[in-house]
Amino acid sequence: SYVLTQPPSVSVAPGKTARITCGGNNIGSKSVHWYQQKPGQAPVLVMHYDNDRPSGIPERFSGSNSGNTATLTISGGEGGDEADYYCQVWDGSTDHVVFGGGTKLTVL
Amino acid sequence: EVQLLESGGGLIQPGGSLRLSCAASGFTFSTFAMTWVRQAPGKGLEWVSSISNIGDSTHYGDSVKGRFTISRDNSKNTVYLQMNSLRAEDTAVYYCAKMAWDIILIIPYGQLDYWGQGTRVTVSS
């Protein structure tokens, strides 16, 4: 089955840039979606199709996807960005939704 | 405004059954696939099951295949998850999510663009 690998945690200083990676075999050939989940809340879609922001998501959020790594980039980190972030793809070979293990972003 | 409201969660003994429901509003329900995702306490998101927009195709995660059944009633704008032979490891918050169409692959299984607030299932004796 297809596996997505994320670092368990990423830290960023306020105002700096955070990069959260999502590794998968030839993930560049797939569409990657990203979700933000704050404590006690449902996940929210913050990036789809690698680098397309849904309506209402700040321009500080951007994405890329190439080779074996997709990346969610958050510029000008703020305290409100502290959350768990999950990448997700559709694995057409098994018809499965696949999530990465999640990355806890800390702004300190 | 899209709304997804899950119900049916609760405390159930191991081996028991439970049916979750997700009532949808604010969009043309029969046009979109639906998905159940769960999150065990302190853990990450785990995909459980998806169903196509007209219900003719269903998909399951390995940990629930053969025990859980997803279905939908497009006349009631509701998707269901029948959970049988429940185990302690099924304890989680269960989220219902709407799937957008994948505009590249032209299949119903795109991003999860709207989520409900979840319903908690606890399997314990």
Side-chain angles (χ1 to χ4, degrees):
Chain A
S1 59
Y2 195 76
V3 176
L4 295 175
T5 301
Q6 297 182 237
S9 63
V10 167
S11 297
V12 64
K16 300 300 184 182
T17 297
R19 294 178 179 85
I20 300 171
T21 59
C22 176
N25 184 34
N26 198 25
I27 194 174
S29 67
K30 299 180 182 298
S31 293
V32 179
H33 314 302
W34 291 90
Y35 304 88
Q36 176 193 69
Q37 186 182 32
K38 296 182 178 180
Q41 299 184 17
V44 172
L45 180 69
V46 295
M47 192 67 59
H48 52 192
Y49 299 105
D50 304 338
N51 57 14
D52 190 19
R53 279 177 293 105
S55 174
I57 302 303
E59 291 184 10
R60 302 186 296 104
F61 287 74
S62 61
S64 64
N65 184 18
S66 179
N68 293 320
T69 304
T71 303
L72 177 70
T73 301
I74 306 170
S75 305
E78 305 174 352
D81 298 330
E82 287 201 332
D84 294 324
Y85 291 84
Y86 297 88
C87 58
Q88 177 255 313
V89 301
W90 172 260
D91 179 17
S93 65
T94 58
D95 285 346
H96 278 33
V97 171
V98 181
F99 284 103
T103 298
K104 183 178 183 62
L105 177 66
T106 301
V107 179
L108 42 67
Chain B
E1 180 192 5
V2 172
Q3 291 192 334
L4 300 170
L5 184 61
E6 302 97 335
S7 61
L11 174 63
I12 187 76
Q13 291 188 339
S17 297
L18 211 54
R19 188 177 84 154
L20 306 183
S21 301
C22 172
S25 61
F27 64 100
T28 305
F29 184 71
S30 59
T31 301
F32 298 97
M34 298 295 292
T35 284
W36 288 95
V37 175
R38 70 184 182 183
Q39 188 169 36
K43 302 298 185 182
L45 302 176
E46 180 188 9
W47 172 68
V48 174
S49 182
S50 297
I51 186 168
S52 64
N53 54 313
I54 58 174
D56 61 337
S57 184
T58 58
H59 312 281
Y60 298 93
D62 293 342
S63 62
V64 306
K65 195 168 187 177
R67 300 188 299 123
F68 290 11
T69 302
I70 192 171
S71 62
R72 64 190 295 162
D73 185 339
N74 285 350
S75 69
K76 296 182 178 180
N77 287 359
T78 302
V79 61
Y80 304 97
L81 186 68
Q82 177 66 44
M83 304 186 296
N84 298 332
S85 302
L86 283 162
R87 307 166 179 166
E89 53 264 37
D90 296 317
T91 294
V93 174
Y94 285 73
Y95 295 101
C96 162
K98 168 185 170 290
M99 300 187 88
W101 274 80
D102 186 312
I103 60 174
I104 296 176
L105 298 177
I106 316 300
I107 60 175
Y109 310 111
Q111 67 274 31
L112 307 178
D113 55 357
Y114 292 94
W115 298 64
Q117 284 305 303
T119 186
R120 187 175 302 275
V121 173
T122 302
V123 184
S124 174
S125 55

